[in-house]
Amino acid sequence: PLYSYVYNEGALGLMLPSWYDCCIGKQQKTTRILVVDDEDIIHVSLDMMFEDWPGDVELVHLSDARKILEFAGDGIDLVLTDLTMPKLNGIEIVRLLKTAYPKLPVLIMTGYGSLDERERLMEAGAMGLLSKPFTDLESFFCHIESALKSATVV
């Protein structure tokens, strides 16, 4: 379920997203996520989805993947990039980012991911593959949180 009840002794039940437990909760700083996608609808959708994120988050939007290195090093905590775009594809983006910023976590978004592509993306250094459309918000946000936590451990 997307929402679960949390009961505190002597308090009324509070409805929180069930993915809240796997997320940051009390963040020390604003999380900056670079979103690279050539479709405007994805940028708008992610803006709406992250309104429910339990901490401060800033989405930095980029539609031209060729400019990714200009933005990725500017205090970005995570990169969400589309797999299929004109000019650069997801595997090329992962390789570029891992060369320039080896500790920066990268998640790939796609509506067309195959098992072979998933393996090549992981070999290139991607943290995971997120399926579009984003229908399972719990899984989506847990992947985001897992990638962010891995960056702090590395």
Side-chain angles (χ1 to χ4, degrees):
L2 282 182
Y3 291 91
S4 59
Y5 285 98
V6 176
Y7 292 100
N8 295 327
E9 224 173 286
L12 295 173
L14 176 63
M15 197 155 196
L16 294 173
S18 55
W19 46 261
Y20 188 89
D21 289 340
C22 76
C23 294
I24 293 171
K26 295 181 181 178
Q27 293 179 322
Q28 299 298 319
K29 67 177 189 87
T30 299
T31 299
R32 298 189 76 224
I33 300 174
L34 178 58
V35 178
V36 186
D37 201 302
D38 58 323
E39 296 180 47
D40 290 339
I41 189 69
I42 297 300
H43 294 282
V44 171
S45 296
L46 288 171
D47 278 339
M48 292 183 343
M49 289 168 57
F50 275 96
E51 287 177 1
D52 291 332
W53 184 257
D56 292 330
V57 66
E58 176 187 358
L59 298 184
V60 179
H61 296 286
L62 182 62
S63 56
D64 185 350
R66 295 173 299 174
K67 296 181 180 178
I68 194 160
L69 291 179
E70 295 174 33
F71 289 85
D74 192 21
I76 297 296
D77 299 300
L78 171 67
V79 175
L80 288 176
T81 183
D82 191 16
L83 176 62
T84 309
M85 291 183 290
K87 313 287 189 229
L88 285 176
N89 67 37
I91 293 173
E92 293 167 325
I93 289 171
V94 171
R95 287 183 181 140
L96 272 173
L97 288 172
K98 288 302 170 180
T99 299
Y101 307 102
K103 294 181 182 179
L104 182 63
V106 181
L107 290 171
I108 303 293
M109 306 176 291
T110 186
Y112 312 104
S114 69
L115 189 56
D116 182 49
E117 280 179 321
R118 180 182 300 264
E119 288 176 15
R120 288 188 300 148
L121 286 164
M122 297 308 193
E123 287 172 6
M127 301 265 335
L129 194 66
L130 302 172
S131 296
K132 294 192 279 186
F134 308 118
T135 54
D136 184 352
L137 292 181
E138 182 173 358
S139 175
F140 175 85
F141 283 121
C142 284
H143 276 90
I144 298 292
E145 179 57 22
S146 177
L148 288 169
K149 282 184 179 177
S150 74
T152 60
V153 173
V154 175

